[in-house]
Amino acid sequence: MAAAATAAAPLLRLRLRLLPVLVVVSLLVGASRAANVTYDHRAVVIDGVRRVLVSGSIHYPRSTPDMWPGLIQKSKDGGLDVIETYVFWDIHEPYDFEGRKDLVRFVKAVADAGLYVHLRIGPYVCAEWNYGGFPVWLHFVPGIKFRTDNEAFKAEMQRFTEKVVDTMKGAGLYASQGGPIILSQIENEYGNIDSAYGAAGKAYMRWAAGMAVSLDTGVPWVMCQQSDAPDPLINTCNGFYCDQFTPNSKSKPKMWTENWSGWFLSFGGAVPYRPAEDLAFAVARFYQRGGTFQNYYMYHGGTNFGRSTGGPFIATSYDYDAPIDEYGMVRQPKWGHLRDVHKAIKLCEPALIAAEPSYSSLGQNTEATVYQTADNSICAAFLANVDAQSDKTVKFNGNTYKLPAWSVSILPDCKNVVLNTAQINSQVTTSEMRSLGSSAQDTDDSSITPELATAGWSYAIEPVGITKENALTKPGLMEQINTTADASDFLWYSTSIVVKGDEPYLNGSQSNLLVNSLGHVLQVYINGKLAGSAKGSASSSLISLQTPVTLVPGKNKIDLLSTTVGLSNYGAFFDLVGAGVTGPVKLSGPNGALNLSSTDWTYQIGLRGEDLHLYNPSEASPEWVSDNAYPTNQPLIWYKTKFTAPAGDDPVAIDFTGMGKGEAWVNGQSIGRYWPTNLAPQSGCVNSCNYRGAYSSNKCLKKCGQPSQTLYHVPRSFLQPGSNDLVLFEQFGGDPSMISFTTRQTSSICAHVSEMHPAQIDSWISPQQTSQTPGPALRLECPREGQVISNIKFASFGTPSGTCGNYNHGECSSSQALAVVQEACVGMTNCSVPVSSNNFGDPCSGVTKSLVVEAACS
């Protein structure tokens, strides 16, 4: 932090210079008039004005239309200028833009909030989405080869791309028509894998670029991770850090299309997260090093409803540790800290768009970047310490600055530090899922309202093996995706053998069965009874199941149920990655073996319950049995019950603890696959993740040895007043009486600010008319409208330690802290408390002190 050498007046003048730019942007977004969007070597240019833009990804089908306005407003409140989304080919064909698929409505909602849109058409999207977003029928087009110089593929890709562009044009949504779309993307991360396709891949890439430009959208096109993207397309960067990225032309701006705010969750994996300090460091370094467009992937991750997950083994939650969580609540301190970073960057915008960067070393692992106009009227600076361990003290422009390790200080006037990425002024919130009791059993919990009890469970038994008349019999083993076309997760393989009793593969009545599969999940039934099961993993979907089986004299039926958990979505030729039982399948004993791989097998696509639409409560079926003694902990059971939705508007989830693996539907809408029995590895997690040093997807993990996901989001729009229907298909076996409804609520708000922190960023944006430089302050704000701070749970000024919900007084602590904070905050929707010995007294002179507060809102 800088020595207090200057007052706030220079930043006030800087803010006044920034106002015309903000007014221009407001007019452009708010008014329905055509805008001219171009670019130069520094930035995207809108109506002749260079723009420093902050963007965030929200995927429209991963939330609901009712959620969109709130998500977009929270994004705007967090300092975003642009919302970025993929377009998901598979959900729009045949022509379908309804409900969560209503892309036009989503883009208009962004425009209504006064934000821009970056439309990433692809149409390959990756996105941990089933088959990378491609419709599976594309695989069966004669002669097709994906993502290469193949006429069949190019024709289909162009047809869909034109459909999307025409739909956007028809709604007047491109900026050239007065709409919010200022950028579009063609293809996606092709440069990561294009070498596998050779010269044909390069030809395809050039064709895709030319095809996109020919569609005449009136806005620039980008290609991410494509270092040889042809002009006029802008090549952009994806990754955890992109400060060292350089565009392939001196005429193109430095853009970051995917700054990974966390990482995705896999079934069987621990939960990844990314510290706010590191993410903020990455953002500030990018703008420091000449970047002018940065996008968070994700800003809100959402939920993989239905069977939309890719991978395979991608979990239903796509939370991504994003600034807005899966349920639509802001994640603090990440959201607030990044909001402050964005405000600091915007204070620098006049300099960033007017000047070229100048770099200088301040010592080992420290660097200054200055943006200053020739007449010295505008100046902004970034001071970086890229050392992963040591704090530094540096001299810059005659002043002394302390730089924590792995941090960037932002100086919009080249003098005052308004923010350091390692020093969080934003509050922390702790949220919890509060159980509303068992869905089917009474409880003594007095907080549970009687209407939450269900009306009891009905069940239907899914038969083992072949039950459909359209089953197919062929010799040999068939690959699953080519057989099912992904119409269902499930494919039955059925055959039979006749046992006399003297076969060499027998040991008495026993034999060993070997089944090799490409994945993803396998269950073996012998004569209708479960004999064994196995699963692959996100790192390898392959299965080699060996299990002892008991055979009987005469005919023995062997049924194999192969299950997919999302289709592959990434890599060269990912579309050719198979699934299902491909063999060998054989029985073996002490004297020999019987290879069943080439025998006749009968195939059934999907489950009988799927064909009967048991998941749709509006369709009555005689299959359902109402009986208090419903089966539990048995495989292949459908369950159904009625329930009343939790009162209020808190986000709702179902806790599937007690169930095995399956899929759930609420009022006929699938909330996704559940799999609470798939546990993360015991090792690899950390109690506290050090933000210092380069981040990777396995650096910061939590919940080792626990289920990857137990809570499954039920959007409020899926629920209805009065009675609601819940249907489960349980594949492995579970007890539905153990599941419970939960609501997501904020339990505490906390903050931890030291005397060395910069002042709150808003004190620089709207400075008081005073000669003094503003000092650090702790700020608290209740997360929901209408709430006030009702209780101060903890307050300490001195050397406190711990984390939100578990703070401790240090060796020195002011006796006045609690009373001072109570006086300032209780009864207020928000409060600000100066962090100074003048406010609390000095409990230990000569020591840098901090103020820590934990509060509750009601």
Side-chain angles (χ1 to χ4, degrees):
M1 184 175 178
T6 60
L11 276 175
L12 176 59
R13 292 194 294 271
L14 178 63
R15 180 62 178 167
L16 293 175
R17 289 195 195 99
L18 185 57
L19 284 175
V21 174
L22 297 178
V23 170
V24 168
V25 173
S26 176
L27 290 173
L28 287 176
V29 176
S32 296
R33 69 174 184 83
N36 180 33
V37 184
T38 59
Y39 63 84
D40 64 14
H41 72 291
R42 285 292 295 127
V44 172
V45 178
I46 303 176
D47 282 346
V49 179
R50 287 177 178 169
R51 294 296 296 122
V52 173
L53 297 170
V54 183
S55 174
S57 290
I58 300 175
H59 294 160
Y60 55 99
R62 282 176 160 144
S63 53
T64 65
D66 285 2
M67 295 174 66
W68 293 343
L71 296 172
I72 294 164
Q73 186 60 49
K74 288 171 183 174
S75 301
K76 182 177 182 178
D77 294 343
L80 266 57
D81 308 292
V82 183
I83 300 297
E84 186 176 286
T85 185
Y86 281 128
V87 180
F88 297 83
W89 186 352
D90 63 325
I91 68 172
H92 292 302
E93 297 225 298
Y95 194 86
D96 187 354
F97 287 82
E98 300 296 324
R100 295 199 319 275
K101 307 171 187 177
D102 195 341
L103 177 60
V104 170
R105 179 178 174 182
F106 178 77
V107 173
K108 286 182 175 180
V110 177
D112 289 344
L115 300 182
Y116 294 119
V117 171
H118 179 195
L119 194 67
R120 305 177 75 188
I121 298 176
Y124 165 72
V125 299
C126 183
E128 291 71 58
W129 192 267
N130 193 57
Y131 216 45
F134 287 143
V136 177
W137 61 255
L138 198 65
H139 175 73
F140 299 94
V141 172
I144 200 164
K145 294 182 179 179
F146 285 18
R147 303 178 77 194
T148 189
D149 192 16
N150 173 270
E151 294 305 319
F153 178 77
K154 291 191 296 182
E156 293 293 348
M157 174 175 167
Q158 181 165 350
R159 180 186 59 79
F160 178 73
T161 305
E162 288 176 345
K163 175 193 289 188
V164 174
V165 169
D166 290 346
T167 300
M168 297 301 103
K169 285 183 177 180
L173 295 177
Y174 281 101
S176 56
Q177 302 171 290
I181 302 173
I182 59 169
L183 293 164
S184 285
Q185 178 179 301
I186 197 71
E187 249 298 335
N188 187 53
E189 295 185 329
Y190 190 62
N192 291 353
I193 49 92
D194 62 4
S195 61
Y197 296 88
K202 293 298 184 183
Y204 158 72
M205 181 270 295
R206 292 189 294 269
W207 168 85
M211 182 270 290
V213 172
S214 73
L215 298 179
D216 193 25
T217 61
V219 303
W221 287 84
V222 307
M223 276 186 166
C224 65
Q225 294 294 94
Q226 194 69 50
S227 61
D228 55 352
D231 296 343
L233 277 74
I234 307 168
N235 67 303
T236 66
C237 183
N238 293 353
F240 291 118
Y241 307 95
C242 280
D243 51 287
Q244 299 303 312
F245 169 74
T246 302
N248 65 13
S249 167
K250 293 183 178 179
S251 65
K252 299 176 183 179
K254 181 172 179 173
M255 297 176 61
W256 192 358
T257 36
E258 290 189 17
N259 177 2
W260 301 325
S261 57
W263 201 242
F264 56 83
L265 174 66
S266 295
F267 283 127
V271 178
Y273 62 99
R274 187 178 185 186
E277 299 95 329
D278 175 67
L279 185 55
F281 170 78
V283 172
R285 281 288 287 165
F286 180 72
Y287 288 106
Q288 174 183 4
R289 300 286 304 179
T292 51
F293 180 102
Q294 184 267 159
N295 175 78
Y296 296 101
Y297 187 101
M298 302 291 296
Y299 199 74
H300 164 72
T303 305
N304 292 315
F305 299 110
R307 299 171 52 241
S308 61
T309 63
F313 295 97
I314 299 298
T316 298
S317 172
Y318 201 67
D319 181 85
Y320 223 89
D321 197 41
I324 302 175
D325 72 15
E326 177 180 5
Y327 301 92
M329 299 176 70
V330 296
R331 172 173 275 113
Q332 297 282 32
K334 184 173 280 189
W335 181 89
H337 190 41
L338 294 174
R339 173 203 58 197
D340 292 348
V341 172
H342 305 154
K343 289 179 178 181
I345 296 295
K346 291 297 184 177
L347 286 172
C348 299
E349 184 170 11
L352 295 178
I353 64 175
E356 300 295 325
S358 173
Y359 305 102
S360 61
S361 173
L362 300 176
Q364 186 178 15
N365 291 329
T366 57
E367 177 185 80
T369 304
V370 176
Y371 293 84
Q372 187 168 18
T373 55
D375 62 1
N376 298 327
S377 61
I378 301 176
C379 185
F382 297 78
L383 309 182
N385 176 8
V386 299
D387 195 297
Q389 295 181 334
S390 302
D391 298 346
K392 306 283 186 178
T393 299
V394 299
K395 286 279 190 178
F396 174 73
N397 281 356
N399 292 318
T400 299
Y401 299 86
K402 293 183 178 179
L403 299 177
W406 205 252
S407 76
V408 178
S409 286
I410 301 175
L411 296 70
D413 60 355
C414 287
K415 294 181 181 179
N416 289 288
V417 173
V418 301
L419 182 137
N420 178 272
T421 59
Q423 296 174 323
I424 296 178
N425 276 333
S426 173
Q427 70 184 25
V428 177
T429 57
T430 59
S431 296
E432 61 183 5
M433 301 302 292
R434 295 185 181 174
S435 176
L436 301 175
S438 168
S439 65
Q441 290 183 334
D442 293 334
T443 174
D444 294 332
D445 189 340
S446 61
S447 69
I448 300 168
T449 55
E451 68 269 23
L452 287 172
T454 70
W457 290 95
S458 302
Y459 71 93
I461 295 176
E462 178 67 31
V464 172
I466 309 301
T467 58
K468 301 182 184 181
E469 294 182 357
N470 62 352
L472 170 68
T473 299
K474 291 187 69 174
L477 296 164
M478 296 170 58
E479 189 276 328
Q480 183 165 349
I481 300 170
N482 281 302
T483 306
T484 66
D486 199 39
S488 170
D489 283 353
F490 302 99
L491 179 64
W492 282 105
Y493 296 69
S494 183
T495 193
S496 61
I497 60 172
V498 175
V499 171
K500 297 178 181 178
D502 58 353
E503 286 79 5
Y505 56 82
L506 287 177
N507 183 6
S509 62
Q510 299 290 306
S511 185
N512 290 311
L513 177 65
L514 167 69
V515 183
N516 281 354
S517 169
L518 298 177
H520 308 147
V521 176
L522 177 66
Q523 289 172 295
V524 173
Y525 293 84
I526 303 295
N527 296 322
K529 296 183 178 180
L530 182 66
S533 62
K535 60 180 173 62
S537 67
S539 58
S540 175
S541 63
L542 300 179
I543 295 170
S544 184
L545 171 63
Q546 298 188 61
T547 184
V549 296
T550 300
L551 302 175
V552 298
K555 185 177 180 180
N556 288 261
K557 186 181 177 187
I558 301 173
D559 293 297
L560 311 178
L561 181 59
S562 179
T563 311
T564 53
V565 190
L567 304 189
S568 181
N569 60 263
Y570 181 75
F573 310 105
F574 77 87
D575 52 298
L576 303 180
V577 175
V581 179
T582 53
V585 176
K586 63 181 181 180
L587 292 163
S588 61
N591 300 312
L594 174 64
N595 194 328
L596 299 172
S597 303
S598 300
T599 194
D600 283 352
W601 288 86
T602 301
Y603 298 89
Q604 175 181 298
I605 299 170
L607 306 174
R608 186 166 184 266
E610 290 177 311
D611 281 6
L612 295 175
H613 299 169
L614 293 184
Y615 51 82
N616 188 345
S618 65
E619 299 186 26
S621 172
E623 300 292 316
W624 290 110
V625 177
S626 296
D627 189 340
N628 289 333
Y630 53 84
T632 61
N633 300 311
Q634 295 181 26
L636 307 184
I637 305 289
W638 294 81
Y639 296 102
K640 181 173 70 171
T641 192
K642 290 184 177 294
F643 68 96
T644 300
D649 57 2
D650 291 322
V652 177
I654 298 177
D655 185 339
F656 277 95
T657 299
M659 300 301 288
K661 174 191 176 294
E663 187 172 354
W665 294 262
V666 172
N667 295 324
Q669 299 192 72
S670 174
I671 64 171
R673 301 181 182 98
Y674 64 84
W675 201 351
T677 55
N678 205 337
L679 305 183
Q682 292 289 338
S683 61
C685 292
V686 291
N687 292 327
S688 178
C689 185
N690 187 350
Y691 73 86
R692 301 168 182 86
Y695 180 80
S696 64
S697 60
N698 60 2
K699 178 181 179 181
C700 305
L701 301 173
K702 58 186 177 181
K703 296 191 175 180
C704 283
Q706 301 179 46
S708 299
Q709 184 178 355
T710 56
L711 297 167
Y712 294 78
H713 182 209
V714 182
R716 281 282 178 179
S717 62
F718 283 21
L719 302 171
Q720 58 194 24
S723 180
N724 292 262
D725 291 282
L726 173 63
V727 177
L728 315 176
F729 171 67
E730 174 54 51
Q731 182 178 357
F732 288 174
D735 184 352
S737 70
M738 295 181 66
I739 72 172
S740 60
F741 290 93
T742 65
T743 58
R744 190 164 181 81
Q745 301 176 22
T746 298
S747 54
S748 292
I749 58 174
C750 304
H752 184 168
V753 177
S754 81
E755 294 176 306
M756 297 303 296
H757 276 54
Q760 291 284 337
I761 188 71
D762 288 344
S763 67
W764 297 107
I765 295 174
S766 301
Q768 303 295 317
Q769 298 298 324
T770 175
S771 60
Q772 292 185 343
T773 301
L778 181 146
R779 190 174 189 276
L780 296 174
E781 181 174 6
C782 290
R784 303 188 65 171
E785 188 175 349
Q787 288 184 327
V788 297
I789 298 171
S790 56
N791 179 34
I792 304 300
K793 298 180 178 180
F794 182 91
S796 180
F797 179 75
T799 56
S801 61
T803 57
C804 187
N806 191 30
Y807 288 126
N808 299 292
H809 294 284
E811 292 184 0
C812 90
S813 180
S814 168
S815 60
Q816 305 174 41
L818 182 61
V820 170
V821 174
Q822 287 175 330
E823 175 69 21
C825 297
V826 172
M828 309 294 289
T829 59
N830 63 76
C831 62
S832 182
V833 183
V835 180
S836 168
S837 296
N838 294 332
N839 205 25
F840 296 97
D842 191 347
C844 41
S845 61
V847 175
T848 299
K849 290 166 282 293
S850 297
L851 174 62
V852 161
V853 178
E854 179 182 0
C857 293
S858 63

